[in-house]
PDB file of all heavy atoms in Angstrom:
ATOM      1  N   ILE A   1      23.850  -7.813  -5.615  1.00 93.00           N
ATOM      2  CA  ILE A   1      23.529  -8.845  -4.632  1.00 93.00           C
ATOM      3  C   ILE A   1      23.657  -8.321  -3.202  1.00 93.00           C
ATOM      4  O   ILE A   1      23.032  -8.846  -2.281  1.00 93.00           O
ATOM      5  CB  ILE A   1      24.397 -10.105  -4.847  1.00 93.00           C
ATOM      6  CG1 ILE A   1      23.748 -11.310  -4.177  1.00 93.00           C
ATOM      7  CG2 ILE A   1      25.831  -9.873  -4.389  1.00 93.00           C
ATOM      8  CD1 ILE A   1      24.268 -12.642  -4.646  1.00 93.00           C
ATOM      9  N   THR A   2      24.412  -7.259  -3.028  1.00 94.00           N
ATOM     10  CA  THR A   2      24.579  -6.692  -1.677  1.00 94.00           C
ATOM     11  C   THR A   2      23.260  -6.198  -1.091  1.00 94.00           C
ATOM     12  O   THR A   2      23.115  -6.142   0.127  1.00 94.00           O
ATOM     13  CB  THR A   2      25.593  -5.530  -1.697  1.00 94.00           C
ATOM     14  OG1 THR A   2      25.166  -4.557  -2.649  1.00 94.00           O
ATOM     15  CG2 THR A   2      26.989  -6.012  -2.029  1.00 94.00           C
ATOM     16  N   LEU A   3      22.284  -5.863  -1.954  1.00 94.00           N
ATOM     17  CA  LEU A   3      20.981  -5.436  -1.426  1.00 94.00           C
ATOM     18  C   LEU A   3      20.315  -6.560  -0.630  1.00 94.00           C
ATOM     19  O   LEU A   3      19.595  -6.307   0.331  1.00 94.00           O
ATOM     20  CB  LEU A   3      20.064  -4.948  -2.545  1.00 94.00           C
ATOM     21  CG  LEU A   3      20.469  -3.647  -3.237  1.00 94.00           C
ATOM     22  CD1 LEU A   3      19.460  -3.285  -4.321  1.00 94.00           C
ATOM     23  CD2 LEU A   3      20.592  -2.515  -2.227  1.00 94.00           C
ATOM     24  N   PHE A   4      20.548  -7.813  -1.043  1.00 89.00           N
ATOM     25  CA  PHE A   4      20.005  -8.936  -0.281  1.00 89.00           C
ATOM     26  C   PHE A   4      20.679  -9.011   1.085  1.00 89.00           C
ATOM     27  O   PHE A   4      20.034  -9.278   2.091  1.00 89.00           O
ATOM     28  CB  PHE A   4      20.219 -10.250  -1.047  1.00 89.00           C
ATOM     29  CG  PHE A   4      19.277 -10.442  -2.185  1.00 89.00           C
ATOM     30  CD1 PHE A   4      19.645 -10.093  -3.471  1.00 89.00           C
ATOM     31  CD2 PHE A   4      18.015 -10.968  -1.982  1.00 89.00           C
ATOM     32  CE1 PHE A   4      18.771 -10.264  -4.527  1.00 89.00           C
ATOM     33  CE2 PHE A   4      17.130 -11.147  -3.027  1.00 89.00           C
ATOM     34  CZ  PHE A   4      17.521 -10.790  -4.312  1.00 89.00           C
ATOM     35  N   ASN A   5      21.989  -8.769   1.088  1.00 88.00           N
ATOM     36  CA  ASN A   5      22.739  -8.820   2.351  1.00 88.00           C
ATOM     37  C   ASN A   5      22.323  -7.695   3.297  1.00 88.00           C
ATOM     38  O   ASN A   5      22.540  -7.797   4.498  1.00 88.00           O
ATOM     39  CB  ASN A   5      24.251  -8.736   2.085  1.00 88.00           C
ATOM     40  CG  ASN A   5      24.739  -9.897   1.254  1.00 88.00           C
ATOM     41  OD1 ASN A   5      24.152 -10.975   1.267  1.00 88.00           O
ATOM     42  ND2 ASN A   5      25.811  -9.687   0.520  1.00 88.00           N
ATOM     43  N   ARG A   6      21.748  -6.654   2.764  1.00 93.00           N
ATOM     44  CA  ARG A   6      21.313  -5.513   3.583  1.00 93.00           C
ATOM     45  C   ARG A   6      19.842  -5.623   3.988  1.00 93.00           C
ATOM     46  O   ARG A   6      19.232  -4.649   4.412  1.00 93.00           O
ATOM     47  CB  ARG A   6      21.537  -4.213   2.813  1.00 93.00           C
ATOM     48  CG  ARG A   6      23.002  -3.922   2.596  1.00 93.00           C
ATOM     49  CD  ARG A   6      23.196  -2.639   1.853  1.00 93.00           C
ATOM     50  NE  ARG A   6      24.618  -2.425   1.572  1.00 93.00           N
ATOM     51  CZ  ARG A   6      25.071  -1.700   0.582  1.00 93.00           C
ATOM     52  NH1 ARG A   6      24.225  -1.061  -0.222  1.00 93.00           N
ATOM     53  NH2 ARG A   6      26.359  -1.570   0.386  1.00 93.00           N
ATOM     54  N   GLY A   7      19.267  -6.795   3.799  1.00 92.00           N
ATOM     55  CA  GLY A   7      17.901  -7.017   4.260  1.00 92.00           C
ATOM     56  C   GLY A   7      16.824  -6.444   3.367  1.00 92.00           C
ATOM     57  O   GLY A   7      15.712  -6.192   3.832  1.00 92.00           O
ATOM     58  N   GLN A   8      17.107  -6.227   2.098  1.00 94.00           N
ATOM     59  CA  GLN A   8      16.124  -5.627   1.199  1.00 94.00           C
ATOM     60  C   GLN A   8      15.468  -6.638   0.256  1.00 94.00           C
ATOM     61  O   GLN A   8      14.883  -6.267  -0.756  1.00 94.00           O
ATOM     62  CB  GLN A   8      16.785  -4.508   0.396  1.00 94.00           C
ATOM     63  CG  GLN A   8      17.252  -3.361   1.267  1.00 94.00           C
ATOM     64  CD  GLN A   8      17.800  -2.218   0.459  1.00 94.00           C
ATOM     65  OE1 GLN A   8      17.481  -2.074  -0.722  1.00 94.00           O
ATOM     66  NE2 GLN A   8      18.619  -1.387   1.077  1.00 94.00           N
ATOM     67  N   ALA A   9      15.544  -7.907   0.602  1.00 93.00           N
ATOM     68  CA  ALA A   9      14.966  -8.945  -0.254  1.00 93.00           C
ATOM     69  C   ALA A   9      13.470  -8.728  -0.484  1.00 93.00           C
ATOM     70  O   ALA A   9      12.977  -8.872  -1.609  1.00 93.00           O
ATOM     71  CB  ALA A   9      15.220 -10.329   0.335  1.00 93.00           C
ATOM     72  N   GLY A  10      12.746  -8.378   0.563  1.00 94.00           N
ATOM     73  CA  GLY A  10      11.300  -8.153   0.430  1.00 94.00           C
ATOM     74  C   GLY A  10      10.980  -7.077  -0.583  1.00 94.00           C
ATOM     75  O   GLY A  10      10.081  -7.237  -1.412  1.00 94.00           O
ATOM     76  N   LYS A  11      11.717  -5.976  -0.537  1.00 94.00           N
ATOM     77  CA  LYS A  11      11.508  -4.888  -1.492  1.00 94.00           C
ATOM     78  C   LYS A  11      11.862  -5.340  -2.910  1.00 94.00           C
ATOM     79  O   LYS A  11      11.152  -5.035  -3.863  1.00 94.00           O
ATOM     80  CB  LYS A  11      12.348  -3.672  -1.116  1.00 94.00           C
ATOM     81  CG  LYS A  11      12.177  -2.501  -2.066  1.00 94.00           C
ATOM     82  CD  LYS A  11      13.160  -1.383  -1.767  1.00 94.00           C
ATOM     83  CE  LYS A  11      13.046  -0.211  -2.696  1.00 94.00           C
ATOM     84  NZ  LYS A  11      12.983  -0.512  -4.106  1.00 94.00           N
ATOM     85  N   ILE A  12      12.939  -6.095  -3.043  1.00 94.00           N
ATOM     86  CA  ILE A  12      13.351  -6.596  -4.357  1.00 94.00           C
ATOM     87  C   ILE A  12      12.275  -7.505  -4.933  1.00 94.00           C
ATOM     88  O   ILE A  12      11.890  -7.377  -6.098  1.00 94.00           O
ATOM     89  CB  ILE A  12      14.698  -7.341  -4.252  1.00 94.00           C
ATOM     90  CG1 ILE A  12      15.811  -6.364  -3.874  1.00 94.00           C
ATOM     91  CG2 ILE A  12      15.030  -8.045  -5.555  1.00 94.00           C
ATOM     92  CD1 ILE A  12      17.105  -7.035  -3.445  1.00 94.00           C
ATOM     93  N   PHE A  13      11.763  -8.413  -4.115  1.00 94.00           N
ATOM     94  CA  PHE A  13      10.722  -9.334  -4.589  1.00 94.00           C
ATOM     95  C   PHE A  13       9.462  -8.576  -4.991  1.00 94.00           C
ATOM     96  O   PHE A  13       8.820  -8.911  -5.988  1.00 94.00           O
ATOM     97  CB  PHE A  13      10.406 -10.392  -3.529  1.00 94.00           C
ATOM     98  CG  PHE A  13      11.560 -11.318  -3.235  1.00 94.00           C
ATOM     99  CD1 PHE A  13      11.689 -11.901  -1.990  1.00 94.00           C
ATOM    100  CD2 PHE A  13      12.521 -11.616  -4.190  1.00 94.00           C
ATOM    101  CE1 PHE A  13      12.737 -12.752  -1.702  1.00 94.00           C
ATOM    102  CE2 PHE A  13      13.587 -12.473  -3.917  1.00 94.00           C
ATOM    103  CZ  PHE A  13      13.689 -13.041  -2.675  1.00 94.00           C
ATOM    104  N   GLU A  14       9.113  -7.557  -4.238  1.00 94.00           N
ATOM    105  CA  GLU A  14       7.941  -6.737  -4.578  1.00 94.00           C
ATOM    106  C   GLU A  14       8.164  -6.019  -5.907  1.00 94.00           C
ATOM    107  O   GLU A  14       7.257  -5.948  -6.746  1.00 94.00           O
ATOM    108  CB  GLU A  14       7.648  -5.731  -3.460  1.00 94.00           C
ATOM    109  CG  GLU A  14       6.363  -4.964  -3.664  1.00 94.00           C
ATOM    110  CD  GLU A  14       5.129  -5.861  -3.729  1.00 94.00           C
ATOM    111  OE1 GLU A  14       5.066  -6.869  -3.015  1.00 94.00           O
ATOM    112  OE2 GLU A  14       4.220  -5.528  -4.521  1.00 94.00           O
ATOM    113  N   ASP A  15       9.366  -5.494  -6.121  1.00 92.00           N
ATOM    114  CA  ASP A  15       9.687  -4.835  -7.394  1.00 92.00           C
ATOM    115  C   ASP A  15       9.589  -5.811  -8.567  1.00 92.00           C
ATOM    116  O   ASP A  15       9.113  -5.451  -9.641  1.00 92.00           O
ATOM    117  CB  ASP A  15      11.094  -4.210  -7.363  1.00 92.00           C
ATOM    118  CG  ASP A  15      11.150  -2.923  -6.572  1.00 92.00           C
ATOM    119  OD1 ASP A  15      10.081  -2.399  -6.189  1.00 92.00           O
ATOM    120  OD2 ASP A  15      12.277  -2.421  -6.340  1.00 92.00           O
ATOM    121  N   VAL A  16      10.030  -7.039  -8.344  1.00 93.00           N
ATOM    122  CA  VAL A  16       9.938  -8.056  -9.400  1.00 93.00           C
ATOM    123  C   VAL A  16       8.477  -8.323  -9.742  1.00 93.00           C
ATOM    124  O   VAL A  16       8.103  -8.407 -10.919  1.00 93.00           O
ATOM    125  CB  VAL A  16      10.664  -9.359  -8.976  1.00 93.00           C
ATOM    126  CG1 VAL A  16      10.340 -10.507  -9.921  1.00 93.00           C
ATOM    127  CG2 VAL A  16      12.170  -9.127  -8.913  1.00 93.00           C
ATOM    128  N   LYS A  17       7.637  -8.435  -8.725  1.00 92.00           N
ATOM    129  CA  LYS A  17       6.207  -8.674  -8.962  1.00 92.00           C
ATOM    130  C   LYS A  17       5.562  -7.500  -9.705  1.00 92.00           C
ATOM    131  O   LYS A  17       4.747  -7.692 -10.596  1.00 92.00           O
ATOM    132  CB  LYS A  17       5.462  -8.907  -7.645  1.00 92.00           C
ATOM    133  CG  LYS A  17       5.738 -10.239  -7.016  1.00 92.00           C
ATOM    134  CD  LYS A  17       4.977 -10.367  -5.701  1.00 92.00           C
ATOM    135  CE  LYS A  17       5.332 -11.624  -4.969  1.00 92.00           C
ATOM    136  NZ  LYS A  17       4.695 -11.709  -3.655  1.00 92.00           N
ATOM    137  N   ARG A  18       5.944  -6.287  -9.325  1.00 91.00           N
ATOM    138  CA  ARG A  18       5.304  -5.086  -9.904  1.00 91.00           C
ATOM    139  C   ARG A  18       5.876  -4.691 -11.260  1.00 91.00           C
ATOM    140  O   ARG A  18       5.145  -4.280 -12.144  1.00 91.00           O
ATOM    141  CB  ARG A  18       5.430  -3.912  -8.935  1.00 91.00           C
ATOM    142  CG  ARG A  18       4.596  -4.092  -7.679  1.00 91.00           C
ATOM    143  CD  ARG A  18       4.678  -2.926  -6.724  1.00 91.00           C
ATOM    144  NE  ARG A  18       4.162  -1.721  -7.373  1.00 91.00           N
ATOM    145  CZ  ARG A  18       4.606  -0.502  -7.121  1.00 91.00           C
ATOM    146  NH1 ARG A  18       5.577  -0.316  -6.253  1.00 91.00           N
ATOM    147  NH2 ARG A  18       4.083   0.538  -7.721  1.00 91.00           N
ATOM    148  N   PHE A  19       7.200  -4.794 -11.413  1.00 89.00           N
ATOM    149  CA  PHE A  19       7.844  -4.217 -12.596  1.00 89.00           C
ATOM    150  C   PHE A  19       8.524  -5.238 -13.508  1.00 89.00           C
ATOM    151  O   PHE A  19       9.028  -4.876 -14.560  1.00 89.00           O
ATOM    152  CB  PHE A  19       8.875  -3.158 -12.170  1.00 89.00           C
ATOM    153  CG  PHE A  19       8.283  -2.073 -11.320  1.00 89.00           C
ATOM    154  CD1 PHE A  19       8.655  -1.940  -9.994  1.00 89.00           C
ATOM    155  CD2 PHE A  19       7.346  -1.202 -11.840  1.00 89.00           C
ATOM    156  CE1 PHE A  19       8.115  -0.934  -9.200  1.00 89.00           C
ATOM    157  CE2 PHE A  19       6.790  -0.199 -11.055  1.00 89.00           C
ATOM    158  CZ  PHE A  19       7.178  -0.070  -9.739  1.00 89.00           C
ATOM    159  N   GLY A  20       8.570  -6.491 -13.097  1.00 90.00           N
ATOM    160  CA  GLY A  20       9.158  -7.499 -13.972  1.00 90.00           C
ATOM    161  C   GLY A  20      10.526  -7.966 -13.506  1.00 90.00           C
ATOM    162  O   GLY A  20      10.995  -7.628 -12.423  1.00 90.00           O
ATOM    163  N   ALA A  21      11.149  -8.746 -14.359  1.00 92.00           N
ATOM    164  CA  ALA A  21      12.397  -9.438 -14.050  1.00 92.00           C
ATOM    165  C   ALA A  21      13.517  -8.493 -13.641  1.00 92.00           C
ATOM    166  O   ALA A  21      13.583  -7.355 -14.083  1.00 92.00           O
ATOM    167  CB  ALA A  21      12.840 -10.251 -15.255  1.00 92.00           C
ATOM    168  N   LYS A  22      14.378  -9.008 -12.776  1.00 93.00           N
ATOM    169  CA  LYS A  22      15.575  -8.288 -12.326  1.00 93.00           C
ATOM    170  C   LYS A  22      16.779  -9.210 -12.489  1.00 93.00           C
ATOM    171  O   LYS A  22      16.698 -10.409 -12.225  1.00 93.00           O
ATOM    172  CB  LYS A  22      15.480  -7.879 -10.849  1.00 93.00           C
ATOM    173  CG  LYS A  22      14.330  -6.968 -10.512  1.00 93.00           C
ATOM    174  CD  LYS A  22      14.605  -5.567 -10.969  1.00 93.00           C
ATOM    175  CE  LYS A  22      13.477  -4.640 -10.517  1.00 93.00           C
ATOM    176  NZ  LYS A  22      13.536  -3.368 -11.154  1.00 93.00           N
ATOM    177  N   VAL A  23      17.890  -8.637 -12.894  1.00 94.00           N
ATOM    178  CA  VAL A  23      19.140  -9.374 -13.004  1.00 94.00           C
ATOM    179  C   VAL A  23      19.959  -9.063 -11.758  1.00 94.00           C
ATOM    180  O   VAL A  23      20.224  -7.897 -11.463  1.00 94.00           O
ATOM    181  CB  VAL A  23      19.923  -8.980 -14.273  1.00 94.00           C
ATOM    182  CG1 VAL A  23      21.250  -9.722 -14.340  1.00 94.00           C
ATOM    183  CG2 VAL A  23      19.089  -9.236 -15.520  1.00 94.00           C
ATOM    184  N   VAL A  24      20.350 -10.096 -11.031  1.00 94.00           N
ATOM    185  CA  VAL A  24      21.151  -9.918  -9.826  1.00 94.00           C
ATOM    186  C   VAL A  24      22.626 -10.001 -10.218  1.00 94.00           C
ATOM    187  O   VAL A  24      23.060 -10.963 -10.843  1.00 94.00           O
ATOM    188  CB  VAL A  24      20.820 -10.993  -8.769  1.00 94.00           C
ATOM    189  CG1 VAL A  24      21.673 -10.808  -7.524  1.00 94.00           C
ATOM    190  CG2 VAL A  24      19.334 -10.955  -8.410  1.00 94.00           C
ATOM    191  N   MET A  25      23.353  -8.960  -9.841  1.00 93.00           N
ATOM    192  CA  MET A  25      24.774  -8.872 -10.186  1.00 93.00           C
ATOM    193  C   MET A  25      25.626  -9.204  -8.963  1.00 93.00           C
ATOM    194  O   MET A  25      25.322  -8.789  -7.850  1.00 93.00           O
ATOM    195  CB  MET A  25      25.117  -7.464 -10.673  1.00 93.00           C
ATOM    196  CG  MET A  25      24.307  -6.998 -11.869  1.00 93.00           C
ATOM    197  SD  MET A  25      24.588  -7.948 -13.354  1.00 93.00           S
ATOM    198  CE  MET A  25      26.230  -7.373 -13.792  1.00 93.00           C
ATOM    199  N   LYS A  26      26.704  -9.954  -9.211  1.00 93.00           N
ATOM    200  CA  LYS A  26      27.680 -10.276  -8.164  1.00 93.00           C
ATOM    201  C   LYS A  26      29.060 -10.073  -8.766  1.00 93.00           C
ATOM    202  O   LYS A  26      29.395 -10.704  -9.777  1.00 93.00           O
ATOM    203  CB  LYS A  26      27.501 -11.728  -7.704  1.00 93.00           C
ATOM    204  CG  LYS A  26      28.451 -12.150  -6.613  1.00 93.00           C
ATOM    205  CD  LYS A  26      28.176 -13.589  -6.215  1.00 93.00           C
ATOM    206  CE  LYS A  26      29.137 -14.041  -5.137  1.00 93.00           C
ATOM    207  NZ  LYS A  26      28.914 -15.461  -4.799  1.00 93.00           N
ATOM    208  N   ASN A  27      29.815  -9.179  -8.178  1.00 93.00           N
ATOM    209  CA  ASN A  27      31.147  -8.830  -8.702  1.00 93.00           C
ATOM    210  C   ASN A  27      31.075  -8.401 -10.166  1.00 93.00           C
ATOM    211  O   ASN A  27      31.877  -8.818 -11.000  1.00 93.00           O
ATOM    212  CB  ASN A  27      32.128  -9.997  -8.522  1.00 93.00           C
ATOM    213  CG  ASN A  27      32.329 -10.348  -7.070  1.00 93.00           C
ATOM    214  OD1 ASN A  27      32.346  -9.467  -6.210  1.00 93.00           O
ATOM    215  ND2 ASN A  27      32.451 -11.625  -6.790  1.00 93.00           N
ATOM    216  N   ASN A  28      30.066  -7.588 -10.480  1.00 90.00           N
ATOM    217  CA  ASN A  28      29.858  -7.035 -11.828  1.00 90.00           C
ATOM    218  C   ASN A  28      29.576  -8.094 -12.891  1.00 90.00           C
ATOM    219  O   ASN A  28      29.796  -7.867 -14.073  1.00 90.00           O
ATOM    220  CB  ASN A  28      31.036  -6.162 -12.257  1.00 90.00           C
ATOM    221  CG  ASN A  28      31.151  -4.926 -11.408  1.00 90.00           C
ATOM    222  OD1 ASN A  28      30.149  -4.339 -11.003  1.00 90.00           O
ATOM    223  ND2 ASN A  28      32.374  -4.524 -11.117  1.00 90.00           N
ATOM    224  N   VAL A  29      29.094  -9.244 -12.463  1.00 91.00           N
ATOM    225  CA  VAL A  29      28.735 -10.319 -13.387  1.00 91.00           C
ATOM    226  C   VAL A  29      27.303 -10.751 -13.059  1.00 91.00           C
ATOM    227  O   VAL A  29      26.952 -10.885 -11.881  1.00 91.00           O
ATOM    228  CB  VAL A  29      29.698 -11.520 -13.244  1.00 91.00           C
ATOM    229  CG1 VAL A  29      29.286 -12.670 -14.133  1.00 91.00           C
ATOM    230  CG2 VAL A  29      31.133 -11.100 -13.541  1.00 91.00           C
ATOM    231  N   ALA A  30      26.501 -10.988 -14.082  1.00 91.00           N
ATOM    232  CA  ALA A  30      25.137 -11.458 -13.860  1.00 91.00           C
ATOM    233  C   ALA A  30      25.175 -12.818 -13.169  1.00 91.00           C
ATOM    234  O   ALA A  30      25.820 -13.754 -13.657  1.00 91.00           O
ATOM    235  CB  ALA A  30      24.388 -11.562 -15.184  1.00 91.00           C
ATOM    236  N   GLU A  31      24.529 -12.892 -12.019  1.00 92.00           N
ATOM    237  CA  GLU A  31      24.536 -14.119 -11.217  1.00 92.00           C
ATOM    238  C   GLU A  31      23.260 -14.938 -11.430  1.00 92.00           C
ATOM    239  O   GLU A  31      23.294 -16.152 -11.525  1.00 92.00           O
ATOM    240  CB  GLU A  31      24.683 -13.754  -9.735  1.00 92.00           C
ATOM    241  CG  GLU A  31      24.841 -14.923  -8.808  1.00 92.00           C
ATOM    242  CD  GLU A  31      26.187 -15.626  -8.963  1.00 92.00           C
ATOM    243  OE1 GLU A  31      27.138 -15.056  -9.520  1.00 92.00           O
ATOM    244  OE2 GLU A  31      26.258 -16.777  -8.509  1.00 92.00           O
ATOM    245  N   CYS A  32      22.108 -14.243 -11.486  1.00 93.00           N
ATOM    246  CA  CYS A  32      20.836 -14.929 -11.702  1.00 93.00           C
ATOM    247  C   CYS A  32      19.788 -13.907 -12.148  1.00 93.00           C
ATOM    248  O   CYS A  32      20.021 -12.711 -12.107  1.00 93.00           O
ATOM    249  CB  CYS A  32      20.362 -15.662 -10.448  1.00 93.00           C
ATOM    250  SG  CYS A  32      19.857 -14.586  -9.106  1.00 93.00           S
ATOM    251  N   VAL A  33      18.655 -14.429 -12.564  1.00 93.00           N
ATOM    252  CA  VAL A  33      17.530 -13.588 -12.964  1.00 93.00           C
ATOM    253  C   VAL A  33      16.361 -13.923 -12.059  1.00 93.00           C
ATOM    254  O   VAL A  33      16.037 -15.101 -11.865  1.00 93.00           O
ATOM    255  CB  VAL A  33      17.151 -13.832 -14.443  1.00 93.00           C
ATOM    256  CG1 VAL A  33      15.928 -13.007 -14.830  1.00 93.00           C
ATOM    257  CG2 VAL A  33      18.327 -13.524 -15.362  1.00 93.00           C
ATOM    258  N   LEU A  34      15.749 -12.905 -11.498  1.00 94.00           N
ATOM    259  CA  LEU A  34      14.570 -13.082 -10.653  1.00 94.00           C
ATOM    260  C   LEU A  34      13.326 -12.808 -11.490  1.00 94.00           C
ATOM    261  O   LEU A  34      13.236 -11.788 -12.160  1.00 94.00           O
ATOM    262  CB  LEU A  34      14.605 -12.123  -9.470  1.00 94.00           C
ATOM    263  CG  LEU A  34      15.775 -12.268  -8.500  1.00 94.00           C
ATOM    264  CD1 LEU A  34      15.723 -11.155  -7.453  1.00 94.00           C
ATOM    265  CD2 LEU A  34      15.730 -13.623  -7.831  1.00 94.00           C
TER     266      LEU A  34
END
């Protein structure tokens, strides 16, 4: 989840569109699925 805090949301969303679902981890626990 720290990647979102570092301003990389756009890149993450593009990766989801191109390569499929991503699991967002927070404190080593799955927080959500994009």
Side-chain angles (χ1 to χ4, degrees):
I1 200 163
T2 56
L3 292 180
F4 284 96
N5 298 333
R6 293 181 184 155
Q8 296 185 22
K11 180 187 179 313
I12 294 167
F13 295 151
E14 187 60 36
D15 284 351
V16 168
K17 287 179 186 175
R18 291 182 62 212
F19 304 113
K22 300 284 185 192
V23 178
V24 179
M25 302 296 287
K26 181 179 179 183
N27 298 324
N28 294 323
V29 177
E31 186 70 18
C32 69
V33 177
L34 299 175

